[in-house]
């Protein structure tokens, strides 16, 4: 059995120098990652994760499914931000990561204008470096969202971000960066024509302080991530974003091309096809909520429920 072991979501720094210790004895295959040869199936798969619970849950899902498919699997979770994980993938210290398509794209190209899932996926295909490969993205997304209480939404007829014009002026609670980020206050103005906003900086990046401010009506709108269990527990509503102000952040596997095989791609593609944002909310709730389930237990239960284990 493999050994189970949050940083900034958007990283714009140049890839950090200095490699981690390389895995010895990795099998080789077509470095372009396009080979249909399944010889790479004999390679040990080392699954990494970022240092926040959702990423560890996803890493466990990948690891358990691959182990079930006959791979030798090791895990190295809670590694930190992309300045750590990208070099680890480059040198083979890890070989597979659950990633987010938008943030991965902007890591390599901070000025990229892709926004929808299709646009971001297409851009990623051309921008990931040689030796790396992304597989099919999942419908599941974990991204910033403009959120209101269901009570306010029903009272004022709020469905999409543009509807916030109905409640101007209003207060927005969010991390300090939202004052300047393109999808923050500048984007509300330029894309949706929303001008009369009082900004209330809250330092916990959509966490309990932000949620409390929204529920208590200290702010009427808040930036909260789309997989927060509080969306359900506190009866909150994610406003639709028809203009794609906020770029897609779909979960997808990023791998060192040396481990690619059709067999591996099939296992991971089945996971991506089954995973939804609602699943991520439920999984996070099990691990981060009152149950405090182990990430590996929640991952195994999800795989079993979806029929993805033998």
């Amino acid at each position: 059995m493999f050994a189970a072991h949050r940083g900034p979501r958007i990283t714009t720094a140049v890839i950090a120098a200095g490699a981690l210790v390389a895995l010895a004895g990795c099998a080789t295959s077509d470095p372009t990652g396009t080979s249909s040869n399944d010889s790479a199936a004999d390679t040990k798969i080392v699954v990494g994760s970022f240092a926040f619970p959702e990423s560890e849950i996803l890493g466990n899902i990948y690891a358990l499914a691959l182990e079930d498919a006959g791979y030798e699997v090791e895990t190295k979770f809670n590694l930190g931000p992309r300045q750590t994980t990208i070099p680890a993938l480059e040198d083979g210290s890890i070989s597979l990561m659950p990633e987010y398509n938008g943030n991965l794209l902007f890591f390599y190209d901070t000025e990229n204008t892709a926004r929808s899932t299709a646009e971001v996926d297409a851009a990623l295909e051309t921008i990931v470096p040689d030796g790396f490969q992304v597989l099919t993205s999942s419908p599941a997304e974990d991204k910033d969202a403009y959120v209101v209480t269901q009570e306010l939404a029903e009272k004022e007829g709020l469905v999409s971000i543009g509807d916030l014009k109905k409640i101007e002026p209003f207060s927005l609670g969010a991390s300090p960066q939202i004052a300047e980020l393109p999808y923050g206050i500048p984007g509300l103005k330029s894309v949706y024509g929303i001008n009369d906003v009082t900004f209330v900086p809250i330092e916990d990046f959509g966490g309990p302080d932000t949620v409390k401010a929204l529920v208590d009506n200290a702010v009427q709108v808040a930036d909260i991530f789309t997989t927060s269990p509080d969306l359900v527990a506190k009866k909150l509503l994610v406003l639709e974003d028809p203009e794609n102000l906020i770029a897609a952040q779909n979960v997808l596997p990023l791998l060192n091309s040396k481990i690619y095989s059709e067999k591996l791609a099939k296992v991971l593609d089945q996971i991506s096809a089954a995973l939804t944002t609602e699943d991520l909310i439920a999984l996070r709730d099990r691990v981060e909520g009152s149950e405090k389930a182990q990430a590996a237990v929640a991952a195994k239960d999800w795989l079993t429920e979806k029929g993805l284990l033998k």
Side-chain angles (χ1 to χ4, degrees):
M1 185 71 174
F2 66 91
H5 289 288
R6 194 155 156 113
R9 288 178 179 268
I10 299 181
T11 305
T12 59
V14 177
I15 298 172
L20 304 178
V21 178
L23 263 179
C26 280
T28 58
S29 63
D30 179 1
T32 67
T34 58
S35 172
S36 62
N37 190 335
D38 281 342
S39 63
D42 295 329
T43 304
K44 178 192 285 187
I45 309 298
V46 184
V47 183
S49 84
F50 297 117
F52 55 90
E54 180 177 284
S55 187
E56 185 176 348
I57 294 167
L58 291 166
N60 273 285
I61 287 174
Y62 290 174
L64 281 164
L66 289 168
E67 184 183 63
D68 188 62
Y71 288 89
E72 181 184 358
V73 178
E74 180 183 346
T75 60
K76 294 184 179 180
F77 294 157
N78 297 307
L79 294 176
R82 289 177 184 86
Q83 289 96 333
T84 300
T85 62
I86 295 296
L89 278 165
E90 286 178 329
D91 68 28
S93 300
I94 60 174
S95 47
L96 171 65
M97 273 287 299
E99 259 287 3
Y100 300 89
N101 59 357
N103 284 342
L104 182 61
L105 175 63
F106 302 137
F107 179 79
Y108 289 112
D109 182 3
T110 59
E111 303 301 319
N112 202 288
T113 59
R115 288 294 178 267
S116 70
T117 297
E119 289 171 346
V120 172
D121 284 347
L124 268 181
E125 290 289 340
T126 65
I127 209 166
V128 292
D130 290 343
F132 282 4
Q133 188 165 355
V134 288
L135 300 183
T136 305
S137 64
S138 167
E141 284 192 273
D142 184 2
K143 68 177 183 177
D144 294 82
Y146 289 103
V147 175
V148 297
T149 63
Q150 291 182 10
E151 180 182 7
L152 181 63
E154 292 170 4
K155 179 182 176 181
E156 302 291 346
L158 307 179
V159 176
S160 72
I161 296 173
D163 292 332
L164 292 175
K165 287 184 287 187
K166 298 177 182 179
I167 64 168
E168 287 186 282
F170 63 85
S171 295
L172 168 66
S175 62
Q177 295 91 332
I178 290 295
E180 299 178 355
L181 287 171
Y183 62 82
I185 289 177
L188 288 175
K189 182 176 181 178
S190 64
V191 176
Y192 284 105
I194 296 167
N195 300 293
D196 200 349
V197 179
T198 299
F199 179 50
V200 180
I202 305 175
E203 296 281 357
D204 69 343
F205 296 93
D209 292 343
T210 304
V211 172
K212 186 177 188 304
L214 183 61
V215 171
D216 291 348
N217 200 38
V219 299
Q220 292 72 56
V221 185
D223 174 21
I224 297 172
F225 292 112
T226 54
T227 63
S228 170
D230 283 327
L231 295 175
V232 176
K234 304 296 185 180
K235 298 182 179 179
L236 308 179
L237 177 73
V238 172
L239 295 174
E240 296 175 6
D241 181 16
E243 301 299 326
N244 292 311
L245 170 63
I246 302 171
Q249 297 293 351
N250 301 81
V251 174
L252 84 172
L254 173 67
L255 53 124
N256 185 309
S257 297
K258 290 182 178 180
I259 69 165
Y260 178 84
S261 70
E262 289 186 352
K263 176 183 176 182
L264 179 138
K266 181 178 180 180
V267 172
L268 296 177
D269 284 350
Q270 287 176 333
I271 291 170
S272 292
L275 189 66
T276 66
T277 302
E278 291 72 24
D279 289 334
L280 287 181
I281 294 172
L283 285 162
R284 283 190 59 187
D285 188 45
R286 286 198 64 190
V287 172
E288 299 174 57
S290 58
E291 182 180 344
K292 301 298 181 186
Q294 294 293 315
V297 172
K300 184 175 182 180
D301 289 348
W302 181 84
L303 286 163
T304 301
E305 176 190 334
K306 298 296 183 179
L308 296 176
L309 294 180
K310 294 176 185 174

